[in-house]
């Protein structure tokens, strides 16, 4: 019996009782890397269901802490499975469902000559500044450090060198904030804070749209790291939150995620 089936069944059971009795907006919290896709999904949901969604986007780990501290949240979408699973194990949320996948890419300044084949050598170069998100606060940072672990299998001492030199520039509680409306990775690179930055491929595409001279480099297979995104209903969620969860898992929601570069497990 799949977790997705169990989750859908629970959602349908919730939806079958007291429908439309709650008029407050659905409090939705999601990883920053989902902002563009989920903004379109929630807009489509609001138009279809005539319901309101109050969305906030931030690093997944910081959102999890806010939920643990009692913030009123109905539905939580994380850039990994770990954070929502932690909430589930603490009996703060329901089952966790995989709803999208992402992977890491590198963004490089135009003056940095780098390809997939030379990426590791360039990151190890003492003159190259390597940027990442903040581990534990932002899963993109954890995935970047997994890339460093993989690098150790290719070159001795690579993990230590990369971990020590990595600049944790985004996603942490004390990270400098990009101006409103700006992609944080495009902003960091535009301000020359790093020469190479490891982030989700979906983020890299958005960064390049803002700063067109940036280059996107696919990680070679022996360094590549994938990210599974998890969705969970928070305990005490209002009825309509289950409808939003099902909408994200529906062909419409999955198609929108795919348009933004996510791999979608239920989309053909």
């Amino acid at each position: 019996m799949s977790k997705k089936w169990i989750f859908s069944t629970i959602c349908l059971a919730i939806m079958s009782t007291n429908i439309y009795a709650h008029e407050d907006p659905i409090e939705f919290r999601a990883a920053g890397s989902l902002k563009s896709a989920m903004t379109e999904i929630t807009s489509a949901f609001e138009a279809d269901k005539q319901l309101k969604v109050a969305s906030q986007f931030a690093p997944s780990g910081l959102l999890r802490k806010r939920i643990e501290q009692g913030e009123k949240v109905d539905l939580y979408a994380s850039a990994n499975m770990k954070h929502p699973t932690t909430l589930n194990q603490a009996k703060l949320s329901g089952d966790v469902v995989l709803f999208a996948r992402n992977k890491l890419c590198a963004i490089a300044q135009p003056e940095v000559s780098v390809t997939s084949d030379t990426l590791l050598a360039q990151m190890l170069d003492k003159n190259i500044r390597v940027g990442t998100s903040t581990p534990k606060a932002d899963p993109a940072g954890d995935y970047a450090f997994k890339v460093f672990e993989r690098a150790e299998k290719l070159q001795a001492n690579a993990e230590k060198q990369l971990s020590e030199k990595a600049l944790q520039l985004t996603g942490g509680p004390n990270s400098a904030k990009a101006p409103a409306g700006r992609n944080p990775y495009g902003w960091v690179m535009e301000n020359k804070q790093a020469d190479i930055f490891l982030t989700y491929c979906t983020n890299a595409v958005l960064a390049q749209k803002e700063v067109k001279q940036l280059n996107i480099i696919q990680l070679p297979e022996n360094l590549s790291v994938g990210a599974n995104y998890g969705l969970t209903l928070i305990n005490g969620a209002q009825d309509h939150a289950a409808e939003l969860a099902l909408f994200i898992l529906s062909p419409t929601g999955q198609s929108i995620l795919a348009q933004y570069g996510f791999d979608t497990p239920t989309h053909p």
Side-chain angles (χ1 to χ4, degrees), residues 208-255:
Q208 191 183 57
K209 284 183 179 179
E210 288 190 1
V211 186
K212 299 191 182 305
Q213 64 268 32
L214 295 176
N215 295 315
I216 299 174
I217 298 91
Q218 298 293 324
L219 271 63
E221 187 62 33
N222 52 16
L223 288 179
S224 185
V225 172
N228 291 332
Y229 282 49
L231 184 70
T232 189
L233 277 170
I234 305 304
N235 289 353
Q238 63 145 294
D239 300 328
H240 301 317
E243 294 184 66
L244 176 57
L246 289 177
F247 192 84
I248 292 168
L249 292 167
S250 75
T252 299
Q254 293 283 287
S255 176

Side-chain angles (χ1 to χ4, degrees), residues 143-207:
Y143 293 127
F145 276 68
K146 285 187 181 295
V147 172
F148 301 162
E149 289 178 21
R150 282 179 168 259
E152 184 67 22
K153 298 177 181 179
L154 305 177
Q155 185 166 327
N157 209 38
E159 181 180 4
K160 183 174 185 292
Q161 291 181 56
L162 291 170
S163 298
E164 289 179 350
K165 74 180 295 188
L167 303 171
Q168 299 175 25
L169 298 172
T170 61
N174 300 314
S175 300
K177 298 295 187 288
R182 286 298 309 272
N183 177 274
Y185 312 98
W187 179 73
V188 161
M189 296 298 279
E190 184 179 61
N191 285 280
K192 305 293 184 181
Q193 295 182 43
D195 301 304
I196 295 173
F197 196 104
L198 294 178
T199 188
Y200 301 120
C201 294
T202 51
N203 284 340
V205 171
L206 294 174

Side-chain angles (χ1 to χ4, degrees), residues 9-74:
T9 302
I10 292 170
C11 288
L12 288 171
I14 294 171
M15 288 164 56
S16 67
T17 61
N18 202 27
I19 295 297
Y20 306 124
H22 206 304
E23 296 182 354
D24 289 343
I26 299 165
E27 293 293 342
F28 180 47
R29 304 292 180 267
S33 55
L34 289 163
K35 184 174 182 178
S36 296
M38 284 300 183
T39 297
E40 184 170 336
I41 287 173
T42 54
S43 294
F45 173 81
E46 289 177 326
D48 183 53
K49 302 293 185 180
Q50 299 301 301
L51 295 167
K52 292 294 183 184
V53 180
S55 302
Q56 291 184 28
F57 301 92
S60 299
L62 299 184
L63 290 174
R64 190 202 82 208
K65 288 183 178 179
R66 284 162 52 180
I67 294 169
E68 290 171 333
Q69 291 165 359
E71 180 173 328
K72 177 65 177 77
V73 175
D74 296 309

